[in-house]
Amino acid sequence: QWWVDMLQSLLPGWDVVPIEAVADPETVTYAVVWRPRTGDLARFANLKAIVSIGAGIDHVLADEKLPSGVPIICTVGDDLTQRMREYVALHVLRHHRDMPRQLQAQAERDWHAIVVPVAPKRTVGVMGLGNLGAAAARTLADLGFATRGWSKSAKTIDGVETFAGPEQFDAF
């Protein structure tokens, strides 16, 4: 419902409804989706475009009944990029600092120091250096991690050792 309300406020004059509330599938010309169920979009014969509210479209392409010939648009913006950078940093730091063990020791009232190396002594790899992957790799490099990135095509990212293509995958 949050998405419906937000999109409706951005698109005055348009009818924005959840997929379950579509009364006449023939009137639907655009679908804004995240992980649609198989066959959901096939109901709409007049689609002009499908908009993925995530950066990728794999979840849309997973639909075996996806209508052919309909353009798929992926959204990338500052908000999404920032959230992904935070998410990646959170989990890399969680593993780097051995948080599960830290929390277990705390619960057991074991106050012995759990020593972890500093970030530059750890290598972190990022597979995929599109908009989000490159931003995540830069963030990790800025935190001091020895950061490597791999993508299908060659990329240059400050502070990140990059690799491209299948021939450089093992080196990555």
Side-chain angles (χ1 to χ4, degrees):
Q1 188 59 48
W2 182 89
W3 280 103
V4 170
D5 295 342
M6 191 269 301
L7 288 171
Q8 188 64 72
S9 73
L10 294 172
L11 300 167
W14 288 61
D15 292 325
V16 180
V17 297
I19 197 165
E20 300 82 19
V22 172
D24 182 1
E26 296 292 319
T27 64
V28 175
T29 52
Y30 297 93
V32 179
V33 299
W34 173 250
R35 294 185 184 243
R37 294 174 303 240
T38 297
D40 272 353
L41 299 172
R43 296 177 34 217
F44 309 119
N46 296 316
L47 278 181
K48 294 180 183 175
I50 299 166
V51 181
S52 167
I53 60 174
I57 61 169
D58 291 349
H59 62 97
V60 177
L61 297 176
D63 182 349
E64 296 167 357
K65 297 179 182 178
L66 186 67
S68 63
V70 178
I72 302 172
I73 302 165
C74 28
T75 57
V76 177
D78 293 342
D79 181 75
L80 177 63
T81 301
Q82 179 63 31
R83 289 173 188 276
M84 183 58 71
R85 291 174 60 222
E86 292 172 9
Y87 182 84
V88 169
L90 167 71
H91 290 286
V92 168
L93 287 168
R94 180 180 183 275
H95 288 285
H96 167 65
R97 291 297 187 104
D98 202 355
M99 285 308 296
R101 197 169 92 183
Q102 299 269 10
L103 293 171
Q104 180 182 357
Q106 181 183 30
E108 295 170 357
R109 298 183 183 278
D110 177 359
W111 305 119
H112 292 92
I114 297 172
V115 180
V116 297
V118 294
K121 300 279 185 192
R122 296 257 196 205
T123 300
V124 178
V126 177
M127 292 183 66
L129 297 174
N131 291 326
L132 295 181
R138 275 191 304 276
T139 298
L140 296 172
D142 288 347
L143 286 171
F145 289 100
T147 307
R148 293 174 160 217
W150 179 88
S151 58
K152 291 179 185 175
S153 59
K155 306 280 195 284
T156 301
I157 302 168
D158 287 342
V160 178
E161 184 180 4
T162 58
F163 301 82
E167 61 281 353
Q168 291 187 330
F169 186 75
D170 287 343
F172 162 74

